[in-house]
Amino acid sequence: MRVAIVAESFLPSVNGVTHSLLKVIQHLRSRGDEVLVIAPTSPDPAAPDVVEGARVKRLPSLPLAGYTDLRVAVGPVAPVAALLAEFAPDVVHVASPFMLGWRAVQAAKQLGLPTVAIYQTDVPGYAARYGVRFLENWAWQRVENIHVAATRTLAPSTSAVSALRGHGIPRVHLWPRGVDAQRFHPRWRDDAFRWAAAPDGRRLIGYVGRLALEKQVEDLAALDGIPGTRLVIVGDGPQRAALQSALPDAHFTGFLGGTDLAAAVASFDLFVHPGELETFCQTIQEAMASGVPVVATGRGGPLDLVDSSRTGWLYTPGNLAELRGYVADLMGDDAKRAAFSAAAFTSVQGRSWSAVCEALVHHYDEAIAEHSLLPARS
C-alpha cells in the first residue's frame, strides 16, 4: 500500500500527534508499505527528511503565536496537491487536521483520492480555553468541513465520537491508541528519581504533559499540603514559569523522553491529569501500564481509560475539592492504592500498538473500498 500522511505537526516537535504517527509509520514500514509524510517546515537543522524509511516533505510554515515551538503550515492547496499527485497514494491519512489538513483534504478531493481523517485535537475547546470564544464556532465549522469531506473519520474515544456525531459529521469510527507496555512498566521504578524528587521520602503525585493553558495544570494547586506527598511536574511549555510560581513546592523536571520518561512515570505513586480537553490522554494509559493509578477529570478521553473506584478516580470537572479528596484517599491508604495499581496495570495489557495499527490498516482498506463505490461523495 502507498500511504501519504499529512501531519499538522511532526518531528522535531514532540507531542501526542507525533508520537502516534511514529508508531503508525513504523508499523506501515514493517509491512513493506510505502509512506510519504507531508509536514510543516522547521527551523531546527536536525529536522529529519527521512523517518523510519519514510520520506518527509516540508511545506512553508510560521510559528504559532504563544507556541513558538509549534508551527502552522501556510499556503494554497496546489503545493499539497502536487506532492500527492507525484506520490500517487492509495489513501491519504490526515493527522489531527486543521490548517494543513484542510488543504490536504481539498487536494485529495481534487485528485480523487480517499482520505482517512484522524481527529485528535479539540481545537474549538482550545479556542474557548484561551479566551477567544468568538473563534470557537469558526473552529467547529472548520472541523466539520474537514471531516464531512473526508472518506472516513477516526476518533480516539467514545466522547470524541459522540462530539463529532453531535455536530453532524458522518462516517465516524472509534480508533483508540496503543501503549508500549515494554517501555512503560513497573519494573522501571527508579529510587534515584524518587530521591531527587523527594529526598525526605514523601510519596510522589505525578503529572506528565505540556505546560500549557489548556492542560489546566494550575488546578493541581488544590493538592498542596496533602500530608506526606510531593507533586512532580514532568514536561515543558509556555506556562512553565507561571506554574513554578503557582506551585512553589512542586518538583519540575522539564521535558523527559525515552527511558528517562518511563522511569519517571513508573516512580510515581499516583498520576493526576486535570485537563478537560483531552480527546484521549495517552499519558494516562502510560501511567497505568507503569502500574500507577490515576485521578483525572471526568470528561473526554479519560472516561474510556479510568475505571472509577477500580483503576483510579474520575472527579467532576471543575470540582477541585473532589480532586483533592480522591488524591488524599489514595495517598493515605497504601492497600487501596496497591489494589488500584494492580488493576490499572492489568487493564491496559493487550493494547499493543501493533494491534491498533493493524486496525488502522483495516480502516484504510474500508475507506479505499467506500471511496471507489461513491467517488462523487463530498
Side-chain angles (χ1 to χ4, degrees), residues 2 4 36 38 55 77-89 92 104 107-108 110-113:
R2 297 175 67 81
L36 172 70
I38 301 173
R55 289 183 297 135
V77 172
V80 184
L83 289 173
L84 292 178
E86 179 185 10
F87 182 64
V92 181
Q110 291 175 11
L111 297 169
L113 298 171

Side-chain angles (χ1 to χ4, degrees), residues 183-224:
R183 179 184 174 201
F184 293 97
H185 192 277
R187 65 174 167 266
W188 304 124
R189 190 173 176 90
D190 185 356
D191 289 340
F193 178 89
R194 291 176 61 80
W195 184 89
D200 54 3
R202 285 182 285 174
R203 295 185 178 91
L204 304 184
I205 304 166
Y207 164 85
V208 177
R210 278 186 57 78
L211 306 186
L213 195 61
E214 70 274 6
K215 300 297 185 181
Q216 297 172 246
V217 184
E218 68 279 3
D219 287 356
L220 299 181
L223 307 182
D224 186 51

Side-chain angles (χ1 to χ4, degrees), residues 33 42 54 76 78 118 121 130 160 187 193 201 212 228 240 291 309 335 338 354 366:
D33 298 322
S42 170
I118 314 296
T121 305
Y130 277 82
R187 65 174 167 266
F193 178 89
R240 180 169 178 174
S309 82
S354 177
E366 291 194 337

Side-chain angles (χ1 to χ4, degrees), residues 26 32 64 135 143 146 172 187 208 222 226 241 252 289 308 363:
Q26 289 168 3
L64 185 64
L135 289 178
V143 169
I146 290 171
V172 181
R187 65 174 167 266
V208 177
I226 294 178
F252 286 76
S308 206
H363 284 296

Side-chain angles (χ1 to χ4, degrees), residues 74-350:
V74 295
V77 172
V80 184
L83 289 173
L84 292 178
E86 179 185 10
F87 182 64
D90 297 299
V91 65
V92 181
H93 172 136
V94 192
S96 195
F98 196 73
M99 299 300 288
L100 178 56
W102 164 248
R103 293 158 59 198
V105 169
Q106 295 306 304
K109 184 178 178 181
Q110 291 175 11
L111 297 169
L113 298 171
T115 50
V116 175
I118 314 296
Y119 180 75
Q120 196 162 337
T121 305
D122 182 5
V123 176
Y126 281 22
R129 177 67 60 184
Y130 277 82
V132 282
R133 288 190 174 275
F134 66 92
L135 289 178
E136 186 176 4
N137 288 339
W138 173 82
W140 263 119
Q141 188 62 58
R142 169 57 62 91
V143 169
E144 290 168 14
N145 289 343
I146 290 171
H147 290 280
V148 166
T151 310
R152 175 171 288 213
T153 288
L154 305 182
S157 63
T158 54
S159 175
V161 169
S162 295
L164 294 172
R165 288 176 177 169
H167 278 266
I169 296 170
R171 304 180 297 280
V172 181
H173 300 261
L174 179 66
W175 181 62
R177 301 291 179 266
V179 64
D180 186 340
Q182 296 301 311
R183 179 184 174 201
F184 293 97
H185 192 277
R187 65 174 167 266
W188 304 124
R189 190 173 176 90
D190 185 356
D191 289 340
F193 178 89
R194 291 176 61 80
W195 184 89
D200 54 3
R202 285 182 285 174
R203 295 185 178 91
L204 304 184
I205 304 166
Y207 164 85
V208 177
R210 278 186 57 78
L211 306 186
L213 195 61
E214 70 274 6
K215 300 297 185 181
Q216 297 172 246
V217 184
E218 68 279 3
D219 287 356
L220 299 181
L223 307 182
D224 186 51
I226 294 178
T229 70
R230 189 174 197 198
L231 180 64
V232 178
I233 306 293
V234 176
D236 209 344
Q239 292 291 307
R240 180 169 178 174
L243 289 169
Q244 286 177 314
S245 295
L247 305 168
D249 189 48
H251 175 65
F252 286 76
T253 70
F255 174 81
L256 296 178
T259 57
D260 290 337
L261 176 60
V265 175
S267 299
F268 297 153
D269 296 292
L270 180 68
F271 185 84
V272 289
H273 201 294
E276 298 176 17
L277 300 177
E278 299 297 314
T279 59
F280 186 75
C281 202
Q282 180 69 355
T283 55
I284 286 179
Q285 196 165 238
E286 291 167 351
M288 296 169 78
S290 303
V292 180
V294 175
V295 176
T297 184
R299 176 176 290 165
L303 292 169
D304 286 1
L305 299 175
V306 180
D307 185 355
S308 206
S309 82
R310 194 177 73 87
T311 63
W313 291 111
L314 294 170
Y315 68 92
T316 306
N319 189 336
L320 302 187
E322 191 176 27
L323 162 63
R324 181 184 176 91
Y326 282 144
V327 170
D329 169 66
L330 285 175
M331 297 305 280
D333 188 331
D334 291 348
K336 181 186 286 188
R337 193 173 66 256
F340 278 39
S341 171
F345 175 79
T346 300
S347 72
V348 298
Q349 300 310 301

